[in-house]
Amino acid sequence: MTTPEPADRVLSRASLADGSPTRWFDELYTAAARGEAEVPWTRGAPNADLADWVEPGEGRRALVVGSALGDDSELLSAAGWAVTGFDVAPAAVEAARARFPQSTVDYVVADLLKPPGEWHQAFDLVVEIINIQAMPREFRAAAITSLAGFLAPGGTMLVSEVAEENVAPEPGPPWPFSRAEIESVAQDGVKLVGLETIRDGARYWAEFTR
């Protein structure tokens, strides 16, 4: 018997065929809420690499890209950051608010390809972990430009994606990142501080500043 194709790949393929690189995220979260699909990147706990990195926020502003069900946002909030967590999927934002009803995190619906203008250079910490890799390469340059634009002078940006050089090709999503794509976050005054591979070479972990 043939194993059913994962819902994220079925939905993303249909969404991309219609010219939308992001619509399928909300469709996937909505299906998961009905018990009809799984969101493969949710673990019910913060990202382990971010947890290893986290430092006191002391009230500084942090932005979590693709905040999903809120685990990374809550980790940073507990460490004293003033956190905005955004996701393109309204269903994800609703789920995060429901999971953490007393949270001080500002969970909002926003699109990385069309971000709010007031977010330009507004955050002391920007966290992007395995989100942009869910977009095909033709959309990545615009997404990365938006990402770089969030970082305030003197701030820190953390970027982690699946590393193309050490991962066997798959139909996607995700579509792994090349080293050059990670390095391209260093634009418009943003500078690369460090880039390494982690998890036995499976992922990039990069740190930037402005």
Side-chain angles (χ1 to χ4, degrees), residues 5 12 14 29 36 43 59 65 80 103 112 131 137 165 174 185 194:
E5 192 171 14
S12 65
Y29 281 106
E36 299 171 358
R43 298 288 184 270
V65 179
S103 177
L112 181 59
N131 289 287
R137 284 188 170 84
E165 61 190 0
V185 176

Side-chain angles (χ1 to χ4, degrees), residues 54-59 73-81:
V54 70
E55 60 183 38
E58 300 175 335
S73 299
E74 296 299 323
L75 171 73
L76 294 175
S77 179
W81 294 88

Side-chain angles (χ1 to χ4, degrees), residues 3-206:
T3 302
E5 192 171 14
D8 58 318
R9 293 186 176 173
V10 173
L11 293 170
S12 65
R13 188 163 54 241
S15 181
L16 291 168
D18 291 340
S20 172
T22 59
R23 186 192 72 212
W24 65 276
F25 287 105
D26 193 54
E27 294 174 341
L28 180 62
Y29 281 106
T30 300
R34 296 194 300 258
E36 299 171 358
E38 293 185 2
V39 180
W41 52 84
T42 59
R43 298 288 184 270
N47 176 272
D49 307 306
L50 180 62
D52 287 341
W53 176 91
V54 70
E55 60 183 38
E58 300 175 335
R60 290 173 292 170
R61 296 188 69 191
L63 182 69
V64 176
V65 179
S67 50
L69 302 185
D71 294 294
D72 290 349
S73 299
E74 296 299 323
L75 171 73
L76 294 175
S77 179
W81 294 88
V83 182
T84 297
F86 83 91
D87 205 288
V88 73
V93 171
E94 291 172 8
R97 290 171 178 167
R99 284 185 74 204
F100 303 104
Q102 306 302 318
S103 177
T104 61
V105 175
D106 184 18
Y107 289 109
V108 298
V109 177
D111 188 341
L112 181 59
L113 297 175
K114 299 175 183 178
E118 61 267 26
W119 288 0
H120 183 67
Q121 295 190 21
F123 296 94
D124 304 296
L125 174 64
V126 179
V127 177
E128 154 51 22
I129 297 178
I130 61 170
N131 289 287
I132 298 178
Q133 66 178 37
M135 296 182 183
R137 284 188 170 84
E138 58 264 34
F139 298 100
R140 287 190 184 170
I144 289 170
T145 295
S146 291
L147 182 69
F150 297 141
L151 189 62
T156 297
M157 178 179 293
L158 305 174
V159 181
S160 184
E161 312 284 352
V162 172
E164 180 183 68
E165 61 190 0
N166 291 315
V167 176
E170 294 188 36
W175 293 276
F177 260 56
S178 68
R179 183 172 291 267
E181 285 178 308
I182 288 283
E183 292 174 344
S184 73
V185 176
Q187 57 179 275
D188 189 30
V190 174
K191 300 175 182 178
L192 179 64
V193 174
L195 172 59
E196 60 182 322
T197 53
I198 58 175
R199 301 195 184 191
D200 296 324
R203 287 190 188 176
Y204 292 118
W205 181 267

